[in-house]
Amino acid sequence: MTLAHRVPELGALELLIAVARHGSMGGAARELGISQPAASSRIRSVERQLGVSLFDRSPSGSRPTEAGALVTDWARRIMEAAEAFDAGAQALRDRRDSRLRVAASMTIAEYLLPGWLIALRTARPDTAVSLLAGNSGAVAARLLGGEADLGFVEGLAVPAGLDGTVIGRDRLVVVVAPAHEWSARRTALTPTELAASPLILREEGSGTRQVLGAALASYGGLAEPLLELSSTTAVKAAVVSGAGPSVLSELAVREELVARRLLEVEVAGIHLRRDLRAVWPTGHRPSGPARELLSLTRAAP
Amino acid sequence: MTLAHRVPELGALELLIAVARHGSMGGAARELGISQPAASSRIRSVERQLGVSLFDRSPSGSRPTEAGALVTDWARRIMEAAEAFDAGAQALRDRRDSRLRVAASMTIAEYLLPGWLIALRTARPDTAVSLLAGNSGAVAARLLGGEADLGFVEGLAVPAGLDGTVIGRDRLVVVVAPAHEWSARRTALTPTELAASPLILREEGSGTRQVLGAALASYGGLAEPLLELSSTTAVKAAVVSGAGPSVLSELAVREELVARRLLEVEVAGIHLRRDLRAVWPTGHRPSGPARELLSLTRAAP
DNA sequence: TGAGGCCATAACCTGAATGTATGACCGATG
DNA sequence: CATCGGTCATACATTCAGGTTATGGCCTCA
């Protein structure tokens, strides 16, 4: 039985949340534009599926049970991810007729941009954003070719012909599964040890890999990878399953570190930071929606 | 049109990810136990829905387009949340016939436990876990009554009759929407200012609210709340929409802070930390699965 | 040149989700 | 005390997305 069969559909989760917020099934049904019996039946089917009763029904409304409150909170997390998906997808869809065209490197497009787009949507609901993802070179090319209004890159320097501003920092962290021997170390890893260790990495050309290679260049350079995988999440999955250590963006492993599914291993005497920058063609200071988006990405005071 | 209509169903996302991982639709179909045409048609319908083509088909397989790679990464985030949902739901379902019974406070049950359960499931796939959520008092009662084997509480002290160990720390942070005046402050907030400001909070009795009240007791105590909402996510939504400031667990707002949908406001001279503890009845040191789960929650070296 | 991958199309089937219609319950209100 | 307005549950017909099997075209590789 696959995961999708054990978790209710997104529509059901949305309904669940609406019922919890509304305190009534009929109210939630009206909000979502479906009939009351449809809502009632769908909630019931969720309860059947989960084997837990989620709401105490009464003629005066429906209140979440203890389990129901918990389940709706977990459901909200799924819907938040869905919201990010939607924001990103909408930007991809609007490739043609858009007013704000953003070009971003993969890590930023993957982990940060969807959140910014959600924020932008609440601030400027009518701004259509389009998104192009690629490496730093591609971002620069899009900007210089007039195909994008604002770019985001992670890297050591601003590409030629562009101006930019640092909007944040990304730290690369060495991560292992809890069962890995490194998790029991009481001393920090040395750069030499790290350089000599086969790692699970993304394919050649990924920004992470370049930064890592540069940082370890004077310690013997990067060892031959243990595994080369095509997406960050595939790398994470491999690490979690115990295949070996990896070095990944802190952005990418935040959740896993909190949940302790991955553990960070300290490295001594080496800087694995890189700046995240917003960039634009020299002279073309961002204005309008681009300026708005830029301001959303700035760090808090 | 609601969000659920713009985002593909979980089954479709799962398929999407499987195709990307497999490099072939037929292969993904076999993995998920459906027929190849079904997979093909479902992917096509996702592409129609999003208005973006996701895979380059060829007689030698299907490779993600640039947009496809991005979309599958976003999809993976949704599926991760779904996995956490599933882990939690399974624990709720197994209330009766379970071997490891966990009692946890709301914040931990909501934000941390699902991740631990995922990790536990990979380490001990056959351990059925049940979950009871409640406040610290309820957790203590369950443990002392023999209805739970291991507890997790956030709070200032270990409840009487229990032993425990600190497994982490939770910091309470003052958060506002980017448009809020506090986000432009160049100086830290004073505790007196914070105490005098009406906040958006969860209902009376929440652990967060107690800790906050205690920390501000000597500064005039907590002002009357601006809004009282029933779930952390409802509070977050209200803050994001600009209703006012709130004080929330760092765990709860991590994502929003990264995405800059919420901004943290520094507070001077006040400790808004609380320990997260695993607890058990005095004398009953955790053993077996409880010990395993406990070890998963311990901090990295 | 044949075998074995791959994907697409066609025709059909099933089941989940929805809508309409209806009834039972509770609480506030006159 | 009867009524009205809100709640949720049940019954039944309908629709449609997603599933199946069967088949064909295309490419690669031995």
Side-chain angles (χ1 to χ4, degrees), chain B residues 87-106:
Chain B
Q90 216 149 29
L92 286 178
R93 183 180 19 257
D94 293 340
R95 192 177 291 262
R96 300 284 151 84
D97 52 337
S98 58
R99 278 180 288 184
L100 172 58
R101 297 160 305 167
V102 175
S105 70
M106 270 296 171

Side-chain angles (χ1 to χ4, degrees), chain A residues 2-4 6-11 13-14 32 49-52 66-67 69-71 73-83 85-86 88-90 92-93 95 106 109-112 114-116 118-119 121 131-134 142 167-168 178 182-186 231-234 236 251 254-256 258-261 263-264 266 296-301, chain B residues 2-4 6-11 13-14 32 49-52 66-67 69-71 73-83 85-86 88-90 92-93 95 106 109-112 114-116 118-119 121 131-134 142 167-168 178 182-186 231-234 236 251 254-256 258-261 263-264 266 296-301:
Chain A
T2 67
L3 184 56
R6 292 187 309 243
V7 178
E9 294 297 343
L10 294 178
L13 298 179
E14 197 169 23
L32 299 185
Q49 184 180 9
L50 299 182
V52 176
E66 206 164 294
L70 217 40
V71 167
D73 275 325
W74 295 331
R76 275 188 262 255
R77 316 256 301 192
I78 298 181
M79 292 312 294
E80 275 170 34
E83 212 179 327
F85 181 107
D86 180 48
Q90 217 148 30
L92 286 179
R93 183 181 17 258
R95 191 178 293 260
M106 271 295 173
E110 196 176 335
Y111 292 100
L112 294 174
W116 298 339
I118 293 173
R121 185 152 62 189
L131 167 60
L132 284 159
R142 304 286 191 182
I167 57 165
W182 283 359
S183 74
R185 288 177 68 102
R186 305 207 59 79
S231 84
T232 303
T233 316
K236 286 195 285 184
L251 291 169
R254 199 176 282 270
E255 284 285 321
E256 284 79 4
V258 170
R260 311 270 186 239
R261 285 189 284 152
L263 300 181
E264 178 179 350
E266 301 281 348
L296 286 173
T297 67
R298 284 260 171 68
Chain B
T2 67
L3 184 57
R6 292 187 311 243
V7 178
E9 293 297 346
L10 295 178
L13 298 179
E14 198 169 24
L32 299 185
Q49 184 180 9
L50 299 183
V52 177
E66 206 164 293
L70 216 40
V71 166
D73 276 325
W74 296 330
R76 275 188 262 256
R77 316 257 300 193
I78 297 181
M79 293 312 294
E80 277 171 32
E83 212 179 327
F85 181 107
D86 180 48
Q90 216 149 29
L92 286 178
R93 183 180 19 257
R95 192 177 291 262
M106 270 296 171
E110 197 177 333
Y111 292 100
L112 294 174
W116 297 340
I118 293 173
R121 185 151 62 188
L131 168 60
L132 284 158
R142 303 285 190 184
I167 57 164
W182 284 358
S183 74
R185 287 178 67 104
R186 305 208 59 80
S231 82
T232 302
T233 316
K236 285 195 286 184
L251 291 169
R254 198 176 283 270
E255 283 288 320
E256 283 80 5
V258 170
R260 309 271 187 237
R261 284 189 285 151
L263 301 180
E264 178 178 349
E266 302 280 349
L296 286 173
T297 67
R298 283 262 170 68

Side-chain angles (χ1 to χ4, degrees), chain A residues 192-241:
Chain A
T192 312
E193 280 178 299
L194 180 59
S197 306
L199 302 173
I200 302 171
L201 293 175
R202 291 194 55 167
E203 295 145 342
E204 189 72 51
S206 90
T208 304
R209 195 157 161 183
Q210 289 174 355
V211 171
L212 184 60
L216 293 180
S218 51
Y219 297 95
L222 213 43
E224 200 58 27
L226 191 61
L227 270 177
E228 283 191 351
L229 299 171
S230 63
S231 84
T232 303
T233 316
V235 173
K236 286 195 285 184
V239 177
V240 168
S241 76

